[in-house]
Amino acid sequence: ALSFLLLAIYIVRGTYRRATDRAILLASTLSSIWLGIVCAQPFGVEIPFIVRYPMELVRTAAWFGVLYAILGIRFMPKSSLGRHNLYASIGIITLLSIMITLTLYQQVTGIQVVSGSDMLVMQIVVSLIGLLLLEQIWRNAALFSRSGIKYLTIAVATIFIFDFVMYSDALLFKHLSGGLWDARGAVNALITPLLAVTMFNSRRQPI
């Protein structure tokens, strides 16, 4: 949590005004809050699931915002985006909104609308969409600009790959792996140096 908070402070203190800079700032801030919630649990601070999981989805949405900013797509859909970009933006917003709404509804009412396996499948789909967007970013980037996004690409890919592995494992074995869950916070924290290098390099080579 502290690593993402320090990254957010570093971005705020710098002269970063581009859409990608603002998107990374928002994603770092939300990741710091989410990691704070995750790290609080081992110390006996029980955060309700109705807070933890929606916060995770909001943090995931913020990282999609980073990918969209790199692609030049506004996260909130507008008709001026063009048909394909509009569908891409609407699709992930709709999926994440459905997941958040289902979680809140089920936790508040106690009525199970979808099974845990269905939620895991949706989580896996979210991770796959993130990886597909990363592949599109890397494939469409000019050779000279790839050096400016390679660390960011590795960092965000790590988030989505780890989530894909963890939730696929949970779907296969019908429960979350304690080892993968415990390692998740550390893995997310370890990517912050890559993001910091990206922000430092963006001064001379904008993303």
Side-chain angles (χ1 to χ4, degrees):
L2 181 60
S3 59
F4 274 106
L5 180 60
L6 291 174
L7 176 62
I9 293 173
Y10 174 75
I11 297 173
V12 169
R13 288 173 58 89
T15 55
Y16 303 103
R17 298 293 183 269
R18 294 176 293 271
T20 50
D21 302 331
R22 294 192 295 271
I24 294 174
L25 172 61
L26 177 61
S28 298
T29 302
L30 292 174
S31 294
S32 177
I33 297 171
W34 169 73
L35 274 176
I37 292 172
V38 171
C39 295
Q41 291 182 273
F43 296 98
V45 181
E46 188 59 35
I47 309 295
F49 183 79
I50 196 173
V51 175
R52 284 186 284 118
Y53 189 60
M55 187 65 221
E56 176 183 334
L57 294 176
V58 171
R59 155 260 192 187
T60 301
W63 285 112
F64 272 102
V66 172
L67 300 184
Y68 285 153
I70 296 173
L71 288 169
I73 305 173
R74 291 178 62 89
F75 189 70
M76 298 307 294
K78 292 178 62 177
S79 58
S80 59
L81 289 175
R83 186 172 60 182
H84 296 299
N85 289 343
L86 179 64
Y87 291 162
S89 183
I90 290 177
I92 192 60
I93 290 174
T94 301
L95 180 57
L96 291 172
S97 297
I98 290 173
M99 295 172 71
I100 292 174
T101 302
L102 286 172
T103 300
L104 295 175
Y105 179 79
Q106 292 184 156
Q107 290 295 309
V108 170
T109 65
I111 301 173
Q112 187 173 19
V113 180
V114 296
S115 67
S117 295
D118 293 333
M119 292 297 289
L120 288 173
V121 169
M122 285 189 279
Q123 191 71 60
I124 292 169
V125 170
V126 168
S127 299
L128 287 174
I129 293 173
L131 291 172
L132 288 173
L133 280 176
L134 277 170
E135 187 274 336
Q136 183 179 356
I137 289 170
W138 188 258
R139 180 163 47 86
N140 293 337
L143 290 176
F144 69 87
S145 66
R146 286 182 178 177
S147 60
I149 64 170
K150 63 180 178 181
Y151 296 117
L152 176 62
T153 302
I154 293 171
V156 180
T158 300
I159 294 174
F160 287 120
I161 289 172
F162 193 92
D163 284 0
F164 174 79
V165 170
M166 186 182 73
Y167 286 116
S168 296
D169 179 85
L171 183 63
L172 180 63
F173 295 105
K174 306 303 180 185
H175 65 87
L176 278 172
S177 167
L180 289 174
W181 179 261
D182 292 340
R184 194 184 188 199
V187 169
N188 276 260
L190 288 173
I191 69 171
T192 51
L194 297 175
L195 296 171
V197 170
T198 298
M199 297 309 300
F200 181 79
N201 290 340
S202 69
R203 293 179 177 181
R204 53 185 173 81
Q205 187 175 8
I207 300 172

